[in-house]
Amino acid sequence: MFAYTDFIPNVTKSGGVVFALTNRYGGYSQPPYDSLNLAFHTGDEIAVVERNIAHSLEAFKKLDLRYVNAQNLAYMTQIHSTHCALLEENLYEGEARQNNGAINVGEADALVLSRTHMPAMVLVADCNPILFFDKTHNVAALIHAGRKGVFGEICSLTLARMSEHYDTQASDMYVFVGAGIRKCCYEVGDDVCVELGYREQYIEIREGRYFLDLESMLKAEFENLGIMDYYFLPRCSSCDREFFSYRRDGVTGRFALMAMLV
Ligand SMILES: [Zn+2]
């Protein structure tokens, strides 16, 4: 069910953020979505995905000792954009697709959470699932950062949005980056090297092939922003069969980084 779980308290220790990275085990989907596929758009059966989500949400809620009765898990229609939405605003404006236990908040690739006991998730299979947590203001964000998102600096835009609405400072921030495809596996073509331009230090060349290092790009972006408290889970979704990998498997499921403020 979960590959990693954690709780980061806020500065007053009165609350914090609970988060969990799911793996592909413990769900109900059949191959090639076996078994804990949490995404509707993959071609998997809707009713089975709903069951997987409800099952994951139950397990996730138990990570908080206060045991809250959150009924819904919010998620985005992720489109590889740099659009950052506020859950508070989008809950009621979204396309309001309410499957069993899940609320779609519309198209976005970053979602800011500001209310406690309202869980949300970001779905991935090779892209980086990222949690931002502002320990001072008890505000969080979930980010979907694949190549397009990282190149478009979605993390910087998310911090700007949090600063604008909640006065978040980089020094307030804790960042968690879950499993994603790493430079061991992420082969790219000439076109991507050209798009990177002068930032060629993020391409590793092995036997005449090019491999992109999104982890180093993200670290540089965080440090440039002044975020020093970050952790990258040392797991590659493509190497590690505990996770779904779009690059490795093509038609497959999605795993999630789930987060909830308490
Ligand atoms: Zn790898």
Side-chain angles (χ1 to χ4, degrees):
M1 170 76 69
F2 296 131
Y4 184 90
T5 65
D6 208 348
F7 171 73
I8 304 292
N10 60 21
V11 286
T12 62
K13 308 272 193 278
S14 57
V17 66
V18 185
F19 60 100
L21 186 71
T22 65
N23 59 21
R24 69 183 299 164
Y25 306 133
Y28 300 96
S29 298
Q30 298 300 309
Y33 310 104
D34 50 315
S35 60
L36 192 65
N37 167 41
L38 297 175
F40 291 107
H41 69 278
T42 54
D44 196 358
E45 282 180 49
I46 299 295
V48 178
V49 179
E50 286 178 345
R51 197 172 170 206
N52 288 340
I53 288 174
H55 186 52
S56 305
L57 182 56
E58 279 312 304
F60 180 65
K61 286 191 296 188
K62 287 179 185 153
L63 297 175
D64 179 39
L65 297 175
R66 284 155 279 215
Y67 192 75
V68 294
N69 191 28
Q71 296 297 319
N72 295 303
L73 185 58
Y75 70 101
M76 302 169 272
T77 295
Q78 300 168 192
I79 51 171
H80 294 278
S81 70
T82 52
H83 177 56
C84 176
L86 304 179
L87 177 59
E88 196 83 353
E89 283 179 2
N90 283 258
L91 260 186
Y92 307 103
E93 294 170 4
E95 61 191 73
R97 173 181 174 180
Q98 290 213 26
N99 295 294
N100 183 18
I103 295 182
N104 185 310
V105 298
E107 291 185 346
D109 288 275
L111 186 62
V112 178
L113 319 177
S114 56
R115 214 191 292 180
T116 56
H117 302 154
M118 286 179 62
M121 66 176 170
V122 58
L123 296 158
V124 289
D126 289 338
C127 292
N128 292 285
I130 302 178
L131 171 76
F132 273 16
F133 177 53
D134 171 345
K135 289 174 280 188
T136 301
H137 302 94
N138 212 57
V139 173
L142 285 168
I143 306 168
H144 166 237
R147 179 173 62 80
K148 286 186 181 157
V150 176
F151 282 24
E153 300 190 330
I154 189 169
C155 290
S156 301
L157 295 167
T158 303
L159 176 58
R161 194 109 158 105
M162 290 170 75
S163 301
E164 177 193 341
H165 287 269
Y166 302 103
D167 201 26
T168 298
Q169 307 297 314
S171 54
D172 298 327
M173 196 75 89
Y174 169 79
V175 176
F176 171 81
V177 183
I181 191 167
R182 306 287 195 230
K183 67 177 179 182
C184 42
C185 295
Y186 196 4
E187 186 171 2
V188 293
D190 294 342
D191 55 326
V192 173
C193 299
V194 170
E195 203 181 329
L196 259 180
Y198 65 93
R199 297 171 293 180
E200 61 199 18
Q201 72 268 32
Y202 301 118
I203 295 284
E204 190 171 282
I205 304 173
R206 302 199 302 266
E207 297 169 353
R209 294 156 69 190
Y210 303 119
F211 295 85
L212 180 60
D213 186 358
L214 288 182
E215 181 178 354
S216 293
M217 283 190 84
L218 283 168
K219 278 181 186 164
E221 187 179 353
F222 296 157
E223 288 177 11
N224 195 35
L225 289 168
I227 299 172
M228 296 303 164
D229 188 9
Y230 57 77
Y231 175 67
F232 283 75
L233 192 70
R235 309 281 294 273
C236 168
S237 53
S238 176
C239 289
D240 195 330
R241 292 193 170 270
E242 181 173 344
F243 300 102
F244 294 111
S245 170
Y246 179 74
R247 275 283 182 120
R248 184 187 65 221
D249 298 328
V251 178
T252 190
R254 298 291 181 276
F255 61 97
L257 177 59
M258 305 167 74
M260 178 173 68
L261 294 168
V262 295

